[in-house]
Amino acid sequence: MKLLLVEDNKELAENVSQYLTKEGHLCEVVYSIKEAEYKLAAFQYDILLLDLMLPDGSGMEILRRLVKDAGVNMGVIIISAKNSLTDKVEGLDLGADDYLTKPFHLSELNARIKSIFRRRHFEGKQSIEFNEIKIDPDTQEVFVNGELVILTRKEYELLVYLIANKNRVLTKQTIAEHLWGDHVDFMDSFDFVYQHIKNLRKKLTAAGAEDYLTNVYGMGYRFKEHIT
């Protein structure tokens, strides 16, 4: 899962980022509204973790601008030291999915992140099911027709990303940014994505899954819900 953390307390931001990285997420960090707006305009994220009290204004400004951009589709968790009912109501009214008051337990933040992702992409179900493929997000295990398939972490993340975006064409660049971070935007080639796609496809089909992955010439890849 790809996250953007907007938090001006650098010590807290580092602690949150390190914990979420250990939990298998990709967490990009910025410290101001200006930096956040650049990232949100240039890249895509699954969840935005948003502090309200930032050095160049209120995080609510970011939420208000996101509301105006109909193309933005991601979860939002407000993280704030302000335990204000007014702020909570305003944030939720503007489209935030959750509001977490500082200080908080990192395990609780992670649980809320996973809950929002499941609700937005998989109807809130504890496990992810796609025809004969079943994924347990808590253990990060993948099964095909009930049999365990051993995937690397990147292959697992790639599979979840493809299923969450089924039937959509995803470019190599989009996949690379989502799984390896925004810095890959400056790379000359994204051919390494092909190898991960190839390995994932090989493991799933060898386990008895249908080949849902299709190459879209000159564009990227699509994980099709139905084989024609």
Side-chain angles (χ1 to χ4, degrees):
M1 199 181 314
K2 188 178 179 186
L3 317 171
L4 178 63
L5 171 61
V6 188
E7 169 60 66
D8 67 321
N9 183 321
K10 294 190 176 181
E11 182 178 357
L12 175 60
E14 183 177 357
N15 289 339
V16 171
S17 177
Q18 287 180 351
Y19 177 83
L20 294 177
T21 298
K22 289 179 181 178
E23 290 298 309
H25 306 300
L26 180 62
C27 187
E28 303 282 346
V29 180
V30 294
Y31 309 103
S32 67
I33 291 175
K34 183 178 180 180
E35 292 174 302
E37 289 182 337
Y38 166 76
K39 286 282 192 179
L40 292 169
F43 306 104
Q44 296 180 356
Y45 301 91
D46 294 309
I47 306 285
L48 172 66
L49 308 174
L50 179 63
D51 186 18
L52 291 184
M53 300 173 67
L54 297 166
D56 52 348
S58 169
M60 290 293 186
E61 294 177 34
I62 298 175
L63 268 183
R64 291 189 187 96
R65 290 169 193 173
L66 288 178
V67 170
K68 295 178 182 178
D69 188 348
V72 175
N73 180 27
M74 64 181 168
V76 179
I77 300 178
I78 293 175
I79 300 174
S80 177
K82 299 171 68 178
N83 190 16
S84 162
L85 178 61
T86 301
D87 285 333
K88 289 181 180 179
V89 171
E90 182 181 4
L92 295 172
D93 281 347
L94 285 172
D97 297 271
D98 207 343
Y99 191 109
L100 190 58
T101 304
K102 300 176 184 177
F104 53 83
H105 293 288
L106 293 174
S107 57
E108 179 183 3
L109 173 61
N110 189 40
R112 295 191 186 207
I113 288 170
K114 291 192 290 187
S115 175
I116 290 171
F117 186 75
R118 288 197 305 267
R119 187 166 67 244
R120 282 182 163 265
H121 296 282
F122 305 111
E123 300 175 348
K125 296 177 181 177
Q126 291 295 325
S127 61
I128 301 168
E129 297 187 21
F130 183 90
N131 298 339
E132 69 274 16
I133 301 172
K134 183 176 181 179
I135 301 172
D136 185 334
D138 291 329
T139 62
Q140 296 193 351
E141 291 179 322
V142 176
F143 301 86
V144 173
N145 294 319
E147 296 295 324
L148 179 66
V149 180
I150 305 300
L151 301 180
T152 66
R153 171 172 282 191
K154 286 303 180 188
E155 289 165 356
Y156 170 84
E157 293 171 356
L158 175 59
L159 178 59
V160 173
Y161 182 55
L162 290 170
I163 293 177
N165 293 275
K166 60 182 181 291
N167 299 321
R168 290 180 55 196
V169 176
L170 301 172
T171 66
K172 288 182 181 179
Q173 180 175 343
T174 298
I175 294 172
E177 289 171 356
H178 197 89
L179 299 185
W180 282 272
D182 300 341
H183 63 277
V184 302
D185 187 50
F186 301 102
M187 297 179 67
D188 295 329
S189 171
F190 302 104
D191 289 344
F192 62 93
V193 172
Y194 166 75
Q195 191 60 47
H196 284 80
I197 291 281
K198 179 182 176 181
N199 292 342
L200 176 61
R201 171 186 271 151
K202 182 177 179 180
K203 290 182 179 181
L204 292 178
T205 55
E210 294 285 347
D211 188 4
Y212 299 104
L213 269 165
T214 59
N215 297 357
V216 182
Y217 183 75
M219 298 179 67
Y221 303 94
R222 179 190 288 121
F223 202 79
K224 297 178 67 175
E225 190 165 9
H226 302 289
I227 304 298
T228 56

